[in-house]
Amino acid sequence: MSIEVRNISKSFGAFKALDDVSLQVPKGQLVALLGPSGSGKTTLLRIIAGLEFGDPGSGLVLFHGSDVANYRVGDRGVGFVFQHYALFRHLSVFENVAFGLRVKPRRERPSKSEIRQRVMDLLKLVQLDRLADRYPSQLSGGQRQRVALARALAVEPKVLLLDEPFGALDAKVRQELRQWLRRLHEEIHVTTLFVTHDQDEALELADRVVVMNHGRIEQIGTPEQVFQEPATEFVMNFLGSVNVFHGRAEGGRLRFSNLEMHAPDLANGAEVTPLRIFVRPHDWTFETHDNGTPCVRATLRTVNAAGPKVRLQLVTDEGDVINVEISQERYGELGISPGSAAFLAPRDIKLFKDQKDLLATWRVAQDVTVEEERLLSPEGP
Amino acid sequence: MFYLSVLVLLPIMACFFKASTLSWNEFWSAVWTERTRAAYSLTFGASLVAAFVNLFLGLLIAWVLVRYSFPGKRIMDSLVDLPLALPTAVGGLVYASLYVPNGWLGRFLVPLGIQAAYSRLGIVLVLIFVGLPFAVRTVQPILEEIDPETEEASSSLGATRWQSFRRVIFPALLPALITGFALSFARSIGEYGSVVFVSGNMPYKTEIAPILIVARLEEFAYGEATAIAVVLLVISFSMLVLINRLVRWSRRYAI
């Protein structure tokens, strides 16, 4: 079932949790609501579920095109999975999963043997059929979360809503459950929305990512889109680490830190300032000598070689701190140590104006020429 | 363990020891007369009724204190403990003076045939009064602990509010409810100060066992007094053991 949210706002006292949010989730997709805490993502999820309601007169929630304002949470056909599982402690795993079937009105309630069959099928699906008689207190966090999921699926929801489903688990279990959820979604194909503050989780798992901040949606797109073409500075910042510089474009040249490069078409050569320039740590080419490419000159300060990538921290004479990631291989080739002089050529630059809108994305080819991918004049075309 | 022995076990042992100075026949005739039987059944009966009432009243008050916010909530919260702090004799006196035929409440109730002062009803009322804090204070923290998400989970699975209460909240509260019942019950069995003022202490009618003990003491019949105490002790103890088992059973899911 498709979900549509139209112009929903929600305030808690003076705090605006959601500010005129609109969103469409096509049928069968796995969508992530990504944002820092306090961005309104959980509130949005709870409003869709019917656990919370938007400000009076603020907007609509539509399931499959029809308004669900008058439906209670239990009647919306949603399965909700809570961050802290919210399992019924006094019931066994089996009874937890059976709960939604047992509370159905007598006319709709399946027979005892049907309930048993259905619950056992679900427990097999979440690979917990051998633990059916245990109590939640006897399970690990990951197992509890799977029980919570099976319990939500028991009522055959048309929409599955997960609030930080892996938030309370440790990194390893999280990784496993992530892949497992992706497979499960491919199996049952229920429209699924999940809330997360973990960008890796969102990028790895979701068909589409909704990035939220301060009660507003910053960008909606595929994981590639939001990562490669962030619509705003916030999205750029939130999806992975970045180096930020203040700079200016003037007379067809772009300047930031101690780098100056040819940029004839930027804003048609007009002056643009202030300009914020973002380069991700893995988008630098590290050289130990100047080869003529536009580059930032800096001194290597620290090296952290633990991990798949080597993380370097450098500082320019002007005091700009730059984080760079290079491969272990390249690190071996360079033979550098703290104190080495460095020439850093940016491969991918993103320019933002007024803290917000993406002005341009640049891919700098290795052979000195500057290739412009997309260019928007701040004053319009 | 040592403190427990000195504070609890030693006096109980002394009690048994004193009672054992009586011969079996003396013991039997002290504890098993028509008058003592009436006192036992009144003590346990009234305590049981009071504990049951406190079970519901305690749940109700705890529910209101936890789930609702209203002006004066904190004052009401502190008021709950008042029966613990107040000398219970004061409670008994107040109840008695309220319900006597020309008391504030008695002047309306007595014409209706409700005789609360110097009656069994009066005993039950003061026992409710002294036991209430136990019932409220055992349930309240558990109710506070219940995650609102658990209820939301229940309603998201289609349960009505009543189903959520019966299937989710009530089982979670059950151990606390039973404990509260037991504490209030135990408190009531031992209650003396308030009852002595409100009951009128008429043998066979409104005389409870603790009063009987004091009556025996005043006759310097220490052996008989402790004999009755021993009977009270044994019955109370076995009931508390039973209730403890019930609590353990109701918490079987928490390992």
Side-chain angles (χ1 to χ4, degrees):
Chain A
M1 191 160 62
S2 65
I3 308 171
E4 189 181 345
V5 174
R6 256 189 227 161
N7 309 100
I8 287 275
S9 295
K10 173 77 180 173
S11 315
F12 296 104
F15 176 69
K16 245 184 155 28
L18 288 176
D19 187 5
D20 198 27
V21 167
S22 297
L23 172 68
Q24 286 187 329
V25 180
K27 184 174 183 293
Q29 278 206 342
L30 182 56
V31 174
L33 296 176
L34 175 67
S37 51
S39 60
K41 55 195 192 305
T42 295
T43 308
L44 178 58
L45 194 77
R46 289 172 60 88
I47 286 176
I48 292 171
L51 291 169
E52 208 105 51
F53 292 90
D55 289 340
S58 79
L60 300 173
V61 178
L62 304 152
F63 281 10
H64 205 70
S66 55
D67 188 1
V68 291
N70 295 322
Y71 289 90
R72 281 176 357 108
V73 52
D75 303 327
R76 288 195 181 185
V78 299
F80 201 97
V81 176
F82 296 85
Q83 180 177 5
H84 299 290
Y85 327 125
L87 293 178
F88 307 129
R89 291 181 345 124
H90 63 286
L91 295 178
S92 67
V93 167
F94 182 92
E95 286 302 323
N96 261 283
V97 178
F99 187 88
L101 301 172
R102 293 214 198 281
V103 297
K104 275 184 191 291
R106 191 153 305 185
R107 289 171 285 108
E108 301 166 30
R109 197 185 307 156
S111 73
K112 278 211 162 105
S113 59
E114 278 173 319
I115 290 180
R116 174 146 200 98
Q117 188 57 42
R118 219 139 104 210
V119 172
M120 288 318 286
D121 285 349
L122 278 164
L123 286 176
K124 267 196 202 91
L125 185 70
V126 298
Q127 297 152 6
L128 287 172
D129 44 322
R130 284 179 308 128
L131 304 179
D133 297 327
R134 296 259 185 108
Y135 285 104
S137 56
Q138 297 167 302
L139 302 181
S140 72
Q143 289 170 334
R144 285 180 206 183
Q145 192 58 285
R146 269 146 54 199
V147 175
L149 200 60
R151 183 179 66 176
L153 289 172
V155 291
E156 297 183 337
K158 298 180 199 78
V159 174
L160 196 54
L161 304 170
L162 309 136
D163 184 11
E164 298 263 3
F166 313 127
L169 302 170
D170 53 57
K172 184 124 184 136
V173 182
R174 213 149 135 165
Q175 186 69 30
E176 282 168 22
L177 270 187
R178 231 187 252 175
Q179 285 157 13
W180 175 83
L181 179 64
R182 180 76 235 184
R183 282 200 305 275
L184 184 77
H185 182 256
E186 273 151 24
E187 227 168 286
I188 58 178
H189 261 295
V190 175
T191 310
T192 304
L193 240 90
F194 72 99
V195 158
T196 180
H197 61 261
D198 180 339
Q199 76 273 9
D200 291 336
E201 201 164 286
L203 295 180
E204 186 181 322
L205 207 52
D207 297 318
R208 280 149 69 81
V209 179
V210 178
V211 186
M212 295 189 65
N213 185 32
H214 290 312
R216 291 175 161 276
I217 292 177
E218 296 268 334
Q219 188 175 7
I220 304 176
T222 63
E224 290 78 10
Q225 277 168 349
V226 293
F227 189 76
Q228 303 292 353
E229 295 157 39
T232 64
E233 252 193 60
F234 174 81
V235 178
M236 178 79 196
N237 244 319
F238 196 71
L239 295 175
S241 42
V242 284
N243 294 292
V244 188
F245 304 93
H246 296 270
R248 52 196 289 140
E250 196 182 7
R253 299 193 74 73
L254 173 67
R255 289 194 192 87
F256 66 89
S257 192
N258 55 32
L259 174 147
E260 189 178 332
M261 63 198 274
H262 195 52
D265 294 337
L266 185 63
N268 300 322
E271 182 178 338
V272 187
T273 185
L275 197 57
R276 307 241 293 166
I277 291 127
F278 287 71
V279 184
R280 292 208 187 274
H282 58 260
D283 281 330
W284 295 97
T285 304
F286 191 111
E287 295 292 350
T288 47
H289 53 270
D290 194 351
N291 64 1
T293 320
C295 61
V296 178
R297 289 178 305 282
T299 311
L300 184 58
R301 205 155 66 174
T302 60
V303 177
N304 181 351
K309 292 261 184 178
V310 180
R311 291 187 296 281
L312 310 172
Q313 194 176 67
L314 301 99
V315 63
T316 65
D317 291 342
E318 291 78 11
D320 295 324
V321 175
I322 304 175
N323 292 302
V324 176
E325 276 179 17
I326 59 174
S327 67
Q328 292 279 1
E329 219 177 6
R330 179 82 182 128
Y331 177 64
E333 279 168 23
L334 287 169
I336 47 175
S337 59
S340 302
F343 298 85
L344 300 171
R347 284 195 303 267
D348 191 311
I349 306 174
K350 290 186 171 63
L351 307 176
F352 290 89
K353 177 157 164 57
D354 300 333
Q355 306 257 314
K356 192 149 171 60
D357 299 316
L358 181 69
L359 193 59
T361 296
W362 298 69
R363 300 266 149 71
V364 186
Q366 283 303 325
D367 55 358
V368 191
T369 59
V370 174
E371 205 179 299
E372 188 183 340
E373 296 239 323
R374 189 150 71 95
L375 194 62
L376 295 164
S377 155
E379 289 81 29
Chain B
M1 212 47 211
F2 173 75
Y3 286 115
L4 191 69
S5 310
V6 170
L7 292 173
V8 179
L9 228 47
L10 207 62
I12 290 177
M13 293 297 284
C15 199
F16 274 89
F17 179 74
K18 186 73 194 174
S20 69
T21 58
L22 297 175
S23 76
W24 182 246
N25 272 339
E26 282 172 318
F27 180 83
W28 190 251
S29 62
V31 301
W32 205 251
T33 65
E34 207 172 317
R35 189 171 166 191
T36 56
R37 281 203 303 274
Y40 298 142
S41 64
L42 177 60
T43 298
F44 288 102
S47 300
L48 217 58
V49 173
F52 262 114
V53 173
N54 273 337
L55 190 67
F56 291 101
L57 214 55
L59 176 59
L60 191 73
I61 292 174
W63 190 276
V64 170
L65 285 176
V66 172
R67 292 299 171 99
Y68 297 95
S69 62
F70 50 89
K73 174 173 168 170
R74 296 178 70 152
I75 294 173
M76 184 166 159
D77 198 34
S78 335
L79 269 180
V80 169
D81 289 329
L82 202 62
L84 292 178
L86 201 68
T88 52
V90 176
L93 274 172
V94 171
Y95 268 75
S97 62
L98 277 178
Y99 290 105
V100 289
N102 54 2
W104 285 2
L105 293 172
R107 90 180 47 157
F108 305 111
L109 293 176
V110 173
L112 297 174
I114 300 169
Q115 177 63 264
Y118 313 125
S119 70
R120 294 181 169 183
L121 177 63
I123 299 176
V124 171
L125 282 176
V126 290
L127 292 184
I128 292 171
F129 174 74
V130 298
L132 187 63
F134 296 96
V136 176
R137 291 299 182 226
T138 46
V139 176
Q140 198 179 4
I142 308 297
L143 199 55
E144 269 165 9
E145 235 175 61
I146 292 180
D147 193 353
E149 282 191 354
T150 318
E151 266 177 281
E152 288 177 351
S154 164
S155 57
S156 82
L157 291 166
T160 60
R161 288 191 69 164
W162 167 244
Q163 282 175 321
S164 292
F165 178 79
R166 199 177 68 77
R167 286 171 174 267
V168 176
I169 298 174
F170 183 72
L173 288 180
L174 193 58
L177 285 171
I178 299 173
T179 308
F181 177 84
L183 287 176
S184 137
F185 178 63
R187 179 76 181 83
S188 296
I189 292 174
E191 179 55 19
Y192 171 78
S194 57
V195 179
V196 76
F197 286 105
V198 83
S199 70
N201 310 320
M202 284 173 286
Y204 304 107
K205 280 197 180 139
T206 59
E207 187 180 54
I208 57 164
I211 292 175
L212 207 57
I213 296 175
V214 177
R216 289 286 172 276
L217 288 178
E218 282 168 349
E219 295 159 8
F220 303 104
Y222 296 127
E224 281 85 350
T226 47
I228 298 173
V230 162
V231 173
L232 275 188
L233 261 173
V234 169
I235 302 177
S236 314
F237 186 71
S238 42
M239 284 185 132
L240 289 177
V241 166
L242 201 78
I243 288 170
N244 248 320
R245 288 202 156 179
L246 217 62
V247 170
R248 197 162 320 153
W249 167 82
S250 66
R251 289 181 52 83
R252 65 200 175 286
Y253 53 85
I255 312 291

